[in-house]
Amino acid sequence: MFWEQLLNGLTLGSSYALIALGYTMVYGIIQLINFAHGEVYMFGAFVGLFLVTAGANIFVALLGAMAFCMLLGMLIERVAYRPLRGKSTRLSALISAIGVSIFLSTLMVLYRGPNTTRYPAVLGDSTFQLGSLQVSTLQIIILVIAALLMVVLELAIKKTRVGKAMRACSQDLEASKLMGVNVNRIISLTFATGSALAAAGGVMVGIYYNAVWPYMGTMAGLKAFAAAVLGGIGSVPGAMIGGLSLGVLEIMGIAYLSSSYKDAIAFAILILVLIIRPQGLLGQKLSKKV
Amino acid sequence: MNILEMTKISEEFGGLRAVDNVSLSVLPREILGIIGPNGAGKTTLFNIITGIYVPTEGQLLFKERRIDGLAPHDIARLGIARTFQNIRLFGKLSVLDNVRVGRYGVTRSGFWSGLLRLPGGRREEKETELRAIELLELVGLADKRHEYAQYLAYGEQRRLEIVRALALDPSLLLLDEPGAGMNAGEKEELMAFVRSIRDQLELTIILVEHDMNLVMNICERIAVLNYGRKIAEGTPAQVKNDEQVIQSYLGAGV
């Protein structure tokens, strides 16, 4: 029982982690909570659905959704945030983000209606016994894909020229410019990367829970945000750990307490973290720049 | 041909003229000092040259090309690099990665070629690393290349910042108070180092500095700013004996 719940928790948590990465990367670089990020995830789920319905293989659908959301993320940054950058307060950008979030979910309602759509059964889910453990192949696939994406992300940030520039920008935007780094381009690529990961999360959650709806991004986005804060906002490994922990805690809460507390758990954790350790598990203590 | 040509540059911040009608020519391969009391506009001038500020008036030519109004990263790519008064390294990157990022402006490999580990990108990564190590050896930091920059000693951080600037293969290097916080011995070393990179790398160097001894020793020419205006320019000897400079800045006893 416990081990099965743990596996369920990790599966859910890996989707939180994929979304949380986008929050944390964007925050790390421009100190903006991109509240439209949950809607990017929702769009990812729908694009995946569209492609699967059109007969695409699940991996093609996954890549297609990621590519689409990369462009969507870059577009959002270009239209809703860049014009405000350097010219107005961080609060304006935050309000702009909330505006984009409402716009995107409403757009999807206009297009699809507000109801839930079921995902066609693309991956015949089967279960197998692993010792006393009942494991679903779908869970394994989701966990493997999520792990793979996170490894690629980690390598990209640590090893590539652009990834290093991303880390430099998150530490000192102005100094980075003077190294010849086109900061606008790096910010754009950060949105693209985070959005692609969220899209992957959207497609996998859509398949796993067999349901997508236009407002699915709201709650998932908020919880992933809580996960990013738990891990330490701005920290990439923090988002991974925060996402996984939140998923596990939520599932354990459902299993051992009551399913009615499902959504309360994430936010209770968010509040506790903010009180006890505001910088999160792996975050740095905030010190004002002089 | 002057490498940098400032013509009647002014910078205004809400009515305050931080830089006021400054014209200045910089010759190739010279070491030019800019001195002046606090708030004289020295760092503002650096910020104008590097594109952080766009001058309110005047024009700026680098290698006979207009650069005022260009984005900072484009100016950097043309070959102007700088260090900062208060060290601004990427503390949570390794020493080596700091220099690698410093090379960003002269390398090309893009997002996808990096992600997919294409051969072109990998070759470039390798070259970048070799060049970075070479530069670190210049200041004796090659052995510490895997440490986080924030854990280096103060003097090492100063040197790393210069090396990070050199990574851009600049032809013009701006040093903002390179000797700040150094003791006399370290300043001696710094001067020798600045001269040696000028000679080896064929650099033009402009430095802002408070330590008169250091400036007078190392600079071939000096420009003096006061309240945003240039009040004198010339060799160290000329500047030292300039009436206006003595009155407004150096004071008696220097």
Side-chain angles (χ1 to χ4, degrees):
Chain A
M1 170 74 172
F2 173 81
W3 295 106
E4 269 161 38
Q5 296 300 358
L6 185 68
L7 194 62
N8 291 338
L10 289 175
T11 311
L12 179 65
S14 66
S15 76
Y16 290 154
L18 287 176
I19 311 171
L21 283 165
Y23 277 113
T24 224
M25 289 174 71
V26 164
Y27 184 86
I29 221 158
I30 52 173
Q31 287 78 49
L32 166 74
I33 307 293
N34 175 17
F35 273 119
H37 193 55
E39 276 59 45
V40 173
Y41 154 87
M42 176 271 291
F43 261 76
F46 271 97
V47 172
L49 173 72
F50 174 79
L51 290 172
V52 164
T53 315
N57 166 303
I58 180 64
F59 295 102
V60 174
L62 191 70
L63 290 177
M66 288 174 76
F68 179 90
C69 286
M70 270 188 141
L71 297 177
L72 179 63
M74 288 162 89
L75 182 71
I76 293 171
E77 189 272 329
R78 188 71 191 81
V79 173
Y81 307 143
R82 195 182 296 181
L84 297 170
R85 197 150 59 231
K87 297 189 188 74
S88 57
T89 60
R90 270 160 61 182
L91 192 61
S92 319
L94 193 69
I95 292 166
S96 187
I98 294 169
V100 174
S101 156
I102 296 170
F103 172 78
L104 288 177
S105 50
T106 321
L107 191 69
M108 192 51 87
V109 172
L110 268 177
Y111 175 58
R112 301 278 315 197
N115 297 325
T116 302
T117 313
R118 302 183 76 76
Y119 245 78
V122 274
L123 285 173
D125 191 14
S126 55
T127 54
F128 59 92
Q129 289 292 128
L130 196 79
S132 62
L133 197 58
Q134 183 84 267
V135 184
S136 105
T137 45
L138 196 54
Q139 283 184 326
I140 299 297
I141 291 173
I142 288 174
L143 281 172
V144 168
I145 291 177
L148 203 69
L149 286 172
M150 288 187 231
V151 169
V152 169
L153 175 73
E154 187 68 16
L155 287 177
I157 292 177
K158 287 270 158 69
K159 299 278 179 200
T160 69
R161 167 174 176 266
V162 172
K164 283 183 196 116
M166 282 178 180
R167 284 194 295 153
C169 284
S170 75
Q171 292 177 42
D172 193 332
L173 218 49
E174 195 178 275
S176 304
K177 287 180 190 169
L178 299 173
M179 312 288 116
V181 177
N182 182 345
V183 167
N184 277 335
R185 185 166 159 71
I186 295 295
I187 292 171
S188 187
L189 286 172
T190 305
F191 273 87
T193 311
S195 302
L197 295 172
V203 175
M204 295 196 297
V205 164
I207 296 170
Y208 186 57
Y209 290 106
N210 192 17
V212 291
W213 68 100
Y215 294 115
M216 68 189 283
T218 313
M219 188 54 81
L222 283 174
K223 284 186 186 166
F225 171 62
V229 172
L230 170 63
I233 191 122
S235 157
V236 166
M240 298 178 187
I241 292 170
L244 292 173
S245 330
L246 194 65
V248 170
L249 288 169
E250 191 175 312
I251 294 292
M252 293 299 174
I254 295 170
Y256 296 102
L257 296 170
S258 152
S259 63
S260 25
Y261 295 129
K262 182 171 177 289
D263 294 335
I265 290 168
F267 302 115
I269 291 172
L270 177 62
I271 293 167
L272 283 177
V273 169
L274 289 175
I275 293 171
I276 299 166
R277 198 179 155 82
Q279 74 271 33
L281 295 173
L282 300 185
Q284 304 255 333
K285 267 225 167 65
L286 290 180
S287 57
K288 280 255 182 277
K289 267 187 201 157
V290 184
Chain B
M1 180 193 97
N2 296 323
I3 188 165
L4 190 75
E5 184 80 55
M6 278 181 245
T7 318
K8 296 187 173 167
I9 294 275
S10 294
E11 181 71 55
E12 227 173 86
F13 299 112
L16 175 85
R17 279 177 105 78
V19 171
D20 192 358
N21 207 20
V22 170
S23 297
L24 189 63
S25 304
V26 186
L27 306 167
R29 304 190 58 186
E30 76 171 329
I31 301 181
L32 173 77
I34 297 178
I35 62 173
N38 277 329
K42 303 177 303 274
T43 298
T44 308
L45 210 55
F46 272 15
N47 283 333
I48 292 170
I49 299 172
T50 49
I52 297 289
Y53 299 149
V54 178
T56 324
E57 285 161 38
Q59 69 167 13
L60 191 57
L61 296 179
F62 176 63
K63 295 181 177 170
E64 301 184 318
R65 180 178 165 179
R66 195 83 195 254
I67 59 165
D68 47 299
L70 287 187
H73 66 265
D74 286 324
I75 293 180
R77 287 170 188 203
L78 291 175
I80 301 182
R82 74 171 284 184
T83 65
F84 299 89
Q85 191 176 334
N86 45 338
I87 303 173
R88 286 170 74 171
L89 289 167
F90 305 116
K92 280 172 267 168
L93 293 189
S94 72
V95 168
L96 185 60
D97 281 349
N98 266 277
V99 187
R100 277 184 173 139
V101 172
R103 246 183 125 57
Y104 192 91
V106 288
T107 44
R108 287 287 154 264
S109 91
F111 183 65
W112 293 107
S113 94
L115 202 61
L116 303 171
R117 316 298 294 158
L118 297 181
R122 269 157 66 183
R123 195 178 329 116
E124 193 181 77
E125 284 288 325
K126 196 70 213 164
E127 282 164 11
T128 302
E129 184 172 334
L130 290 178
R131 175 70 180 146
I133 292 174
E134 207 176 278
L135 284 166
L136 285 169
E137 273 164 359
L138 220 56
V139 291
L141 284 174
D143 293 341
K144 301 201 168 179
R145 61 180 179 272
H146 297 301
E147 284 179 31
Y148 280 136
Q150 62 188 3
Y151 297 130
L152 291 185
Y154 179 83
E156 292 173 330
Q157 294 197 1
R158 283 256 169 234
R159 279 182 287 168
L160 176 57
E161 221 192 16
I162 295 178
V163 163
R164 184 181 64 174
L166 292 178
L168 198 60
D169 296 337
S171 41
L172 176 63
L173 176 65
L174 312 178
L175 301 174
D176 199 346
E177 296 199 24
M182 288 186 174
N183 63 34
E186 288 169 330
K187 280 181 183 168
E188 285 293 326
E189 267 179 52
L190 175 75
M191 283 190 267
F193 177 64
V194 169
R195 275 200 202 94
S196 80
I197 53 172
R198 189 267 305 267
D199 295 340
Q200 279 177 39
L201 305 171
E202 308 198 339
L203 286 174
T204 306
I205 294 173
I206 307 179
L207 62 91
V208 160
E209 187 49 71
H210 272 303
D211 184 324
M212 275 312 121
N213 199 14
L214 194 152
V215 176
M216 298 290 170
N217 258 313
I218 198 177
C219 297
E220 285 132 8
R221 279 197 317 133
I222 293 173
V224 189
L225 295 186
N226 194 24
Y227 293 113
R229 288 168 184 274
K230 187 177 78 177
I231 58 169
E233 186 184 341
T235 63
Q238 284 169 338
V239 165
K240 221 187 288 193
N241 297 318
D242 187 291
E243 268 312 309
Q244 215 184 340
V245 176
I246 294 170
Q247 265 180 23
S248 64
Y249 182 42
L250 296 178
V254 177

